[in-house]
Amino acid sequence: MIYLLLSILFNAVLFVIIKLFAKFNIDALQALVVNYFVAFLVGLFFLDSSIVPTEIITEDWFKGSILLGFVFISTFYATTLTSQRNGLSVASVASKMSVIIPITLGVILYNEQLGFIKIIGILLALVAVYFTSKKETGEVQQASNLLYPILVFIGAGTIDASLKYLQTFHVPSNKIGLFSSVTFFCAFSVGILTILFLTFRGKIQFSGRNILGGIVLGLPNYFSLYFLVKMLEAKAFESATLFTIHNIAIVIVSTFAGILFFKERISMRNALGIGLALFALFLVTY
């Protein structure tokens, strides 16, 4: 349970930092690339043993780390485009609704059983995520713009499902720190190639504030992944229940962080979403 709480806490911290990016005019893509490298370095600092590259590439989970690195940066970019074209609420809802992907795979791959009460709780959780996250007017105005929310939905769901699969079958407990570090380095590698491509096309302007923002983001980002994998390893709940609790708790904590730190206001719809979320949490842990 402690890993679940820590994962929720660090994800909420990420929310606060990313919200500050807009306030200080920080380019999110540049900051994210720096953040991945910082997260990699943080992981190295906490490792008990030295890294041997020739041994890492033979690990069962190495190919999974490469995949996750690509999906991390791709999902972020899709989220950025969704926010710009459709609104932040659409991006948020698409991301959190993706919990249905690891839930479905949990039933198929791990033979997890969902009783009637848990199914109702999960469905209510999805409704709660929609109501709680929708803080602004956001809609898919053109059919062509539907692509980006779909990519966010698939990307976020793929990340959660892949982490569960790798943790279950390939990542031993003593390699979680190394796995997290290598995954962030893979994300950094993809990100730096993206930056170089955009620089070549003249679409990037570098700024010290972007580097600083990435450094600040890197530490909590490493621990958000580390404790997420530790949470999955602990098996306090089935993955369907765990991902439901995890995602909806992040939405609730992030909402209250927005109210506390950014003076955001919640509508009656948001308040209804919070109420439904609490009831859904009761049902899935019943």
Side-chain angles (χ1 to χ4, degrees):
M1 182 63 74
I2 185 65
Y3 295 130
L4 172 62
L5 295 177
L6 287 171
S7 179
I8 293 168
L9 172 63
F10 279 105
N11 273 280
V13 171
L14 292 181
F15 163 81
V16 174
I17 295 173
I18 291 173
K19 288 281 286 187
L20 288 172
F21 281 2
K23 181 177 180 179
F24 292 100
N25 197 28
I26 293 175
D27 181 84
L29 179 59
Q30 292 182 48
L32 197 75
V33 173
V34 174
N35 135 84
Y36 285 140
F37 186 67
V38 171
F40 166 67
L41 294 179
V42 171
L44 291 185
F45 178 79
F46 284 100
L47 285 180
D48 296 328
S49 57
S50 59
I51 284 185
V52 182
T54 54
E55 293 181 3
I56 291 176
I57 61 177
T58 62
E59 294 282 358
D60 290 342
W61 45 261
F62 180 66
K63 292 181 180 178
S65 283
I66 296 175
L67 169 66
L68 279 173
F70 175 77
V71 176
F72 274 175
I73 197 76
S74 300
T75 301
F76 169 78
Y77 189 58
T79 302
T80 302
L81 291 177
T82 301
S83 300
Q84 292 172 348
R85 294 170 181 258
N86 309 120
L88 183 59
S89 64
V90 174
S92 178
V93 171
S95 175
K96 297 308 177 186
M97 286 290 193
S98 68
V99 70
I100 198 65
I101 294 177
I103 288 175
T104 302
L105 291 180
V107 174
I108 296 173
L109 295 180
Y110 316 118
N111 298 317
E112 295 181 353
Q113 302 297 319
L114 295 179
F116 177 74
I117 292 178
K118 282 191 177 182
I119 292 175
I120 294 299
I122 290 170
L123 293 175
L124 283 178
L126 294 175
V127 175
V129 165
Y130 175 80
F131 282 128
T132 308
S133 300
K134 200 166 180 58
K135 297 183 179 66
E136 62 176 57
T137 300
E139 57 183 336
V140 180
Q141 298 173 345
Q142 300 178 12
S144 60
N145 287 345
L146 183 62
L147 172 65
Y148 301 107
I150 290 175
L151 290 176
V152 172
F153 177 86
I154 295 174
T158 298
I159 290 172
D160 287 343
S162 298
L163 286 173
K164 173 59 181 176
Y165 176 81
L166 290 170
Q167 177 276 316
T168 301
F169 297 110
H170 298 291
V171 183
S173 180
N174 64 331
K175 295 291 180 70
I176 291 177
L178 180 61
F179 165 74
S180 301
S181 297
V182 172
T183 300
F184 279 122
F185 182 77
C186 291
F188 165 74
S189 300
V190 175
I192 200 66
L193 290 175
T194 304
I195 290 289
L196 290 174
F197 173 74
L198 293 175
T199 301
F200 179 75
R201 297 188 62 184
K203 295 186 176 182
I204 287 288
Q205 291 184 343
F206 292 98
S207 170
R209 70 178 66 186
N210 300 330
I211 297 175
L212 180 60
I215 293 173
V216 173
L217 185 66
L219 181 64
N221 200 10
Y222 169 80
F223 285 109
S224 70
L225 176 62
Y226 178 82
F227 287 121
L228 174 59
V229 180
K230 293 290 287 185
M231 173 191 79
L232 294 171
E233 180 195 38
K235 295 181 174 63
F237 301 98
E238 292 181 332
S239 64
T241 301
L242 200 57
F243 278 117
T244 303
I245 297 171
H246 185 256
N247 274 29
I248 204 167
I250 290 173
V251 171
I252 293 174
V253 174
S254 298
T255 298
F256 283 112
I259 296 171
L260 181 62
F261 295 109
F262 302 102
K263 309 302 180 184
E264 292 183 353
R265 295 183 179 182
I266 61 172
S267 64
M268 287 297 296
R269 177 171 54 192
N270 300 150
L272 174 62
I274 293 173
L276 282 175
L278 294 174
F279 185 56
L281 286 176
F282 169 76
L283 291 181
V284 296
T285 58
Y286 179 72

